[in-house]
Amino acid sequence: MSDSAIDLDDVQGVILHGYRVKLVRHFVLTITDAGATGRLIAALVRGDHGLPAITTARRIAPKPALFMNICFSASGLAALGISAQQLASFDAAFRRGATDPASAATVGDVGPSAPQHWIGGLHDGARVHILLSLWATDSHAALEDASARLRAAFTNGVTELYVQDGAEFPDRTVHFGYRHGIAQPTIIGVPRKRDAPDAQPPVPAGEFLLGHRNAGGGTYRVLPDELSSNSSYAVFRILEQDVAGFEAMLARFSAQTGIDIEMLAAKLLGRWRNGNPLTLTPTAQGAPLPDAQLNSFEFVGSDPATNDTLGLKCPIGAHIRRNNPRDAAVIGTDSTHHRLMRRSMPYGPQYDPDHPDTHARGLIGFFINASIRNQFEFLSSEWNRRDDFVKSATGPEGAAAGNAVYNISGEDFLAGVNDPASSAFTLPGKGPKGSANRTLDGFSRLVTTRGGVYCFFPSIKGLLYLAQLTAAAGAVPYQR
């Protein structure tokens, strides 16, 4: 299958497109009757019985009021009749699941973030079978009406374990105040809504869809064949954010260093809170750049005037640089081989510093990829948690100005496991072997995992295949 031959009507929409909606509701379900669940899946694919239909990647105009997609855990696929032999062909990380100790250790779900502390029954991976996500363009009434119809249909086949809502903020920011959803990969063969300059090379479709050629020149496939084309994996995360702790940390470091709070916030993320990248606007936030320019930059490049190999503009340890090093020299091939598609939205009320509260708030959504191990887990463990993933590199001025390997410390300030005794963030300066660097340290973890699921998004044809499976005689729950 070539990169251009993507059957958009066979792909679940959330994999290839952000819906740009205001509201979301994620249902966590356990299967109680496989036969009834199969009938439910078929009804959702076709939109029967007044139910909302599964959204495909074919864009609809005018924009609909609702979008819906469905995915399954390894335990959920087994409950529908996928055999242990067939499951053995799936991504190894997916088979382990998010609650497995090896998975948790790899991505930093330890301490307060460990699975035993997760909410909504998500700590029990064997019971988490289905995630059904319902997005509403802007109508609470439409979301509630569709939810009521879905819940009526759940009665015979599945039980609702948990539900988590999210709501977009008016300024498209998250709780820490940063604008989000900016840097998404351009996928070869996917029609773009608009042409926007992007300095990064397009990513082969196989990095996000099974059965298509990936960046390594191969294809990811599974058994049975009916699930092996146009399907994808995702990691669902509920990430609680300590907004008060973040603002207090910025104030403390600003007082220590004399650096403006907003500049510090930009250095930690790699972008100003309005979305402007430090690489393009290194000295002041300025007015928001046009959307077409927000992602049009590299960190190294061929022009000495814009080269930022040392991280003097955008620190090498900044969140966006760890999660997408672009053209910088790092371990693990290059960034094209480890890209993620993000579909997230804030949950909980916006924080008001004048009226502090203890409400839970954070970010909820999917990290989509065709290989959980090579994309989500690699990025989480190698680039977010290590400070030696950067290869030796000097800028246009040579070694006297510094080397990239000396200009990073600690773990990612958002995704890392940060303990005050060991946390560190380097603000690079110009000088040999990091001699002019400044280090921020002694800060706590700002993001705590409250839930997670390793998921499989079947294609539309794959969903219809699952729909006709029944609980085979003698079938047993999936065992990792």
Side-chain angles (χ1 to χ4, degrees), residues 162-397:
Y162 184 64
V163 64
Q164 177 68 60
D165 287 0
E168 194 69 82
F169 296 157
D171 52 3
R172 291 171 56 192
T173 62
V174 294
H175 287 286
F176 290 139
Y178 299 106
R179 184 178 173 188
H180 75 125
I182 296 173
Q184 302 280 21
T186 298
I187 303 174
I188 297 172
V190 176
R192 294 181 65 103
K193 199 169 184 179
R194 63 181 66 87
D195 290 328
D198 189 335
Q200 294 189 266
V203 180
E207 292 296 299
F208 301 97
L209 291 174
L210 275 62
H212 294 257
R213 188 167 60 249
N214 58 39
T219 57
Y220 296 113
R221 294 186 177 277
V222 299
L223 295 174
D225 289 341
E226 289 86 349
L227 299 180
S228 203
S229 177
N230 294 325
S231 301
S232 190
Y233 296 101
V235 176
F236 177 76
R237 306 279 276 173
I238 303 175
L239 302 172
E240 186 172 299
Q241 299 173 330
D242 180 5
V243 184
F246 176 57
E247 296 298 335
M249 182 189 78
L250 290 177
R252 176 164 66 90
F253 288 142
S254 178
Q256 288 178 5
T257 63
I259 300 174
D260 176 75
I261 284 177
E262 290 306 312
M263 174 62 84
L264 281 173
K267 290 288 187 181
L268 288 166
L269 190 80
R271 294 182 185 270
W272 299 90
R273 294 207 231 204
N274 69 356
N276 288 351
L278 278 171
T279 303
L280 299 180
T281 55
T283 60
Q285 176 170 258
L289 294 173
D291 287 352
Q293 296 180 27
L294 291 175
N295 201 33
S296 186
F297 64 92
E298 294 285 13
F299 292 122
V300 179
S302 58
D303 184 354
T306 59
N307 183 289
D308 195 27
T309 297
L310 302 179
L312 301 179
K313 296 177 183 176
C314 177
I316 297 172
H319 180 69
I320 70 164
R321 194 155 178 169
R322 281 183 177 270
N323 285 268
N324 184 7
R326 297 175 185 256
D327 61 341
V330 294
I331 64 172
T333 314
D334 56 44
S335 63
T336 302
H337 291 73
H338 306 287
R339 296 298 300 274
L340 294 171
M341 195 72 74
R342 295 169 173 85
R343 306 287 184 231
S344 60
M345 194 177 291
Y347 71 89
Q350 284 188 284
Y351 184 76
D352 181 354
D354 295 327
H355 301 90
D357 63 65
T358 58
H359 289 297
R361 52 175 54 85
L363 200 65
I364 186 170
F366 294 101
F367 297 84
I368 298 171
N369 44 209
S371 170
I372 294 175
R373 179 66 196 100
N374 187 55
Q375 290 165 271
F376 177 79
E377 285 195 344
F378 178 91
L379 190 150
S380 299
S381 60
E382 303 299 313
W383 291 352
N384 279 331
R385 301 198 58 201
R386 293 175 54 174
D387 61 7
D388 61 352
F389 75 93
V390 177
K391 294 181 179 179
S392 177
T394 56
E397 298 177 66

Side-chain angles (χ1 to χ4, degrees), residues 108-132:
D109 286 339
V110 297
S113 288
Q116 63 262 33
H117 303 304
W118 289 357
I119 60 178
L122 291 166
H123 69 282
D124 186 358
R127 295 191 66 213
V128 176
H129 293 157
I130 298 174
L131 265 77
L132 191 149

Side-chain angles (χ1 to χ4, degrees), residues 75-119:
S75 298
L77 292 180
L80 288 172
I82 298 299
S83 70
Q85 181 179 7
Q86 291 169 327
L87 280 169
S89 68
F90 282 67
D91 181 275
F94 169 72
R95 299 197 312 269
R96 287 197 316 266
T99 59
D100 184 86
S103 302
T106 297
V107 303
D109 286 339
V110 297
S113 288
Q116 63 262 33
H117 303 304
W118 289 357
I119 60 178

